[in-house]
Amino acid sequence: MYTNESQNFYENPQQNESGNNEFDKKKKEKTFGKKMTRCVAYALAFGLVAGTGFEGSSMMLQKLGGNNTVTSTEQTASNTKIQATQVSTTTSSGTQTTDVSSVVENVMPSIVAITNMSDVQYQTFFGQTENYESESAGSGILVKEDDDYLYVATNNHVVSGAKSLTVQFIDDSTVSAEVQGTDATHDLAVVKIKKSDIEADTLSKIKVASLGDSDQLSVGQAAIAIGNALGYGQSVTTGVISALNREVTMQDESTGASYSNELIQTDAAINPGNSGGALINTSGEVIGINSSKYSDTKVEGMGFAIPMATAKPILEDLITNGKVTASTQGGYLGIAGVDVSDEISSAYKMPTGVYVTQVMKDSAAQNAGLSQGDIITKIDDKELSSIAELKQQVSKHKSGDTVTITYERRDENGEYQESSQDITLGDYPDEDQQQQTEQPAEK
């Protein structure tokens, strides 16, 4: 199953006489309300059980991966460039070992540990609802500063439900922080810290990270993951870029919405507490934000990171506006859907494309007459085989742009009939509005 790699600690009231309860605490990973159903683990060999629209989803088998590329965007956050350091390689008894210590030394001052204190509800044996205070650990990356604040990029699930946030720097000093903005769709968030709360000595030891271009990555390229693994403090793992543009679907239990994104796959170990930490290249540039891993007894080395090409404009929007604006999100179609693969098409006599599972209320799709059960096969003459391709094509347009959607709808005789419709894309609605859907169309 897919898990978000942040670490949750449930405190044991029994402490030793020294007050050190490091080994008295029961440590347990907290998924921050996001998980995949167990059936995903059994679907790995044949594809993921997944499905997404732009808000919400139903589940259906779809291929793990795809050939879609992440659109490159200009870096707008001001970053302190880290000078590339040569990575040394030695050979001993025929085994090749790569030393990345100098690279890590340059990047570590940009990485922080994040502690989230939140209230969690649970049901007692007698059916009563009670609250307890939960402590969770995650990671973050210093991505920008201005005269008053430092801004830290992390995952949305790391800061979800926070009553208070604490950030720990490279010198182990800590300071309170607050959420600047979040984007649940891409599992991104920005935390801000008042510079006036930070000691001068600490300010001299930390620096803003250099953000790399994830569009220039190649499969097999070396990758280094840094984060607050298990909540013990910063640690380093190494590996390679295993795959690009992997389509991964996660579900947010707090809203019930499922979100699908194209992520970087790496075999550098992503452990609990690594969420929000950095995936870097051998030049010391952050190329991704560690987000999740595939967890199963039969699977090893499948971690995932949000590409910086995807994250950079969203982070800048969160820093500037406190939320993701329409200009960053692109146009809004307003459907949720799942893939109709060649296998499904053949088995169920359905056209290949995107099966519409939901149409959002007052959306461009609803205004144009699209209904649940329609199968979208093209957008602007671009043939579609997955929801990821549809999402990518729509994201190239802004609100107010007109696109041509070709879809097939089943008639009274059970036969699919093709239609085309010009649709003017709208603005992204607020999160509450995103959960409202049109009733299924009559058959």
Side-chain angles (χ1 to χ4, degrees), residues 295-340:
S295 180
D296 184 81
T297 56
K298 298 180 180 179
V299 177
E300 292 183 6
M302 290 187 69
F304 298 91
I306 303 165
M308 285 312 303
T310 300
K312 282 189 289 189
I314 297 171
L315 296 174
E316 182 65 15
D317 213 2
L318 294 176
I319 292 170
T320 304
N321 303 300
K323 62 180 181 179
V324 178
T325 61
S327 61
T328 298
Q329 290 177 307
Y332 177 72
L333 180 60
I335 66 108
V338 293
D339 300 351
V340 182

Side-chain angles (χ1 to χ4, degrees), residues 79 82 107-114 138-145 150-155 167-169 188-191 193 207-211 226-227 234 274-280 284-290 305-306 308 311 315 319:
N79 299 298
I82 300 175
V107 178
M108 198 68 83
S110 305
I111 311 301
V112 302
I114 299 175
S139 307
I141 309 163
L142 291 168
V143 293
K144 189 175 182 179
E145 67 174 314
L150 291 175
Y151 298 95
V152 175
T154 187
N155 292 138
V167 169
Q168 184 179 45
F169 298 106
L188 289 169
V190 170
V191 171
I193 308 160
K207 57 183 175 181
V208 174
S210 173
L211 305 185
I226 306 177
Q234 306 301 351
N274 275 128
S275 285
L279 187 69
I280 65 175
E285 298 171 324
V286 180
I287 53 176
I289 299 175
N290 299 323
I306 303 165
M308 285 312 303
L315 296 174
I319 292 170

Side-chain angles (χ1 to χ4, degrees), residues 48-81:
L48 291 177
V49 174
T52 182
F54 306 130
E55 293 69 353
S57 74
S58 296
M59 296 292 184
M60 183 177 288
L61 285 176
Q62 68 180 28
K63 292 181 180 179
L64 174 63
N67 296 320
N68 298 331
T69 58
V70 180
T71 303
S72 177
T73 54
E74 182 179 358
Q75 177 179 342
T76 52
S78 60
N79 299 298
T80 301
K81 283 291 182 182

